[in-house]
Amino acid sequence: MVAAQVLFTIMGVCTRLGSQRLPWSEVAAARALLGAVVAIGLARMRGASLVVHDKRLAWARSICGTVAMICTFYTLGAPAIALGDAVTLGATSPIFIAILAPWLLGERSGRIVWVATSLAFVGVALVAGPSFRLSGSLSLVALLGAAASALAMIWLRRLGAGRSGSPRESPEAIVAHFSLVAGVTLSLVALPTLRAPDLEGALFLLGTGASGAFAQIAMTRAYALDRAARVGVWSYLGVVLSHFAAIGILGEREDPTGLAGAALVVAAGVWLTWSGLREARATAALASPSFQCSDEPSCAPKPPCQTGR
């Protein structure tokens, strides 16, 4: 997930620069189509299957992911909203995951999740507030993209876990399916304003597509390995990296209130991560064969129980 966030940051910078020369829809279409090429190529190299077994979930993931991609690239390509702010609003998807996971995945969210969620939404209000009159619609589009992305990640988690007795989908198969659906959709959106890129524009298209494709594969693998809410909070690293990139590479000026809001969003993510790691350690300790199996009140580890197994 950390590797995915570094690559997504590169994608965001290339998208902002590429959108200065080309329509945002063309940049997004290139990202999706190159994503399909990379996923299929990696599958051939690894000998991984590109067959999608659970077509219903795959289509649900791809449709939600396509909506999220449209919203994301629309805001990333818009100069009216700072890159860091656009990424911060988009990075609220783990918060939506934490809210929806109990109903859609059966993964219980405790009190810490809800407190952290409230903290994150205060941060969102601070990020969107200073520029809301100028880019309020963009802020709403970014949040819509975050909600759609959360649904896509939930379906991705269910695809990665697989059903009992059914084969698992490979990360390459999931990414290829999503990329092809998004690529066809965005190509149709881009057709009315299609423009031939110059050399620099073509390099930005390539950078956007390649970094986004490899990031998608890394993220897909991450969601297949652990609980959605716990993995998702690592996407907050992308917020920090994007703000640094906006200042250092793009030369954008950051509003102090917006930075404070971004800090709150990141703090909520770090808190959720810390609580998730504690929960994982506690679960692992209870599952350890050296843990006591008696009904004694003591929680001290004991030698393996003689249960005949």
Side-chain angles (χ1 to χ4, degrees), residues 81-160:
I81 187 171
L83 175 65
D85 290 349
V87 173
T88 300
L89 294 173
T92 55
S93 58
I95 299 299
F96 287 107
I97 290 174
I99 293 171
L100 296 172
W103 289 276
L104 297 178
L105 289 176
E107 296 179 356
R108 185 175 57 86
S109 297
R111 184 179 59 182
I112 290 178
V113 169
W114 294 110
V115 174
T117 298
S118 303
L119 185 67
F121 274 114
V122 171
V124 167
L126 291 175
V127 170
S131 58
F132 197 81
R133 273 189 281 184
L134 294 176
S135 58
S137 60
L138 290 172
S139 299
L140 294 177
V141 169
L143 289 174
L144 173 62
S149 179
L151 285 171
M153 294 306 101
I154 286 173
W155 306 140
L156 178 58
R157 170 64 176 153
R158 290 182 61 179
L159 273 170

Side-chain angles (χ1 to χ4, degrees), residues 60-80:
R61 183 267 182 276
S62 295
I63 291 171
C64 291
T66 299
V67 172
M69 182 175 280
I70 291 171
C71 295
T72 298
F73 277 85
Y74 181 74
T75 52
L76 287 178

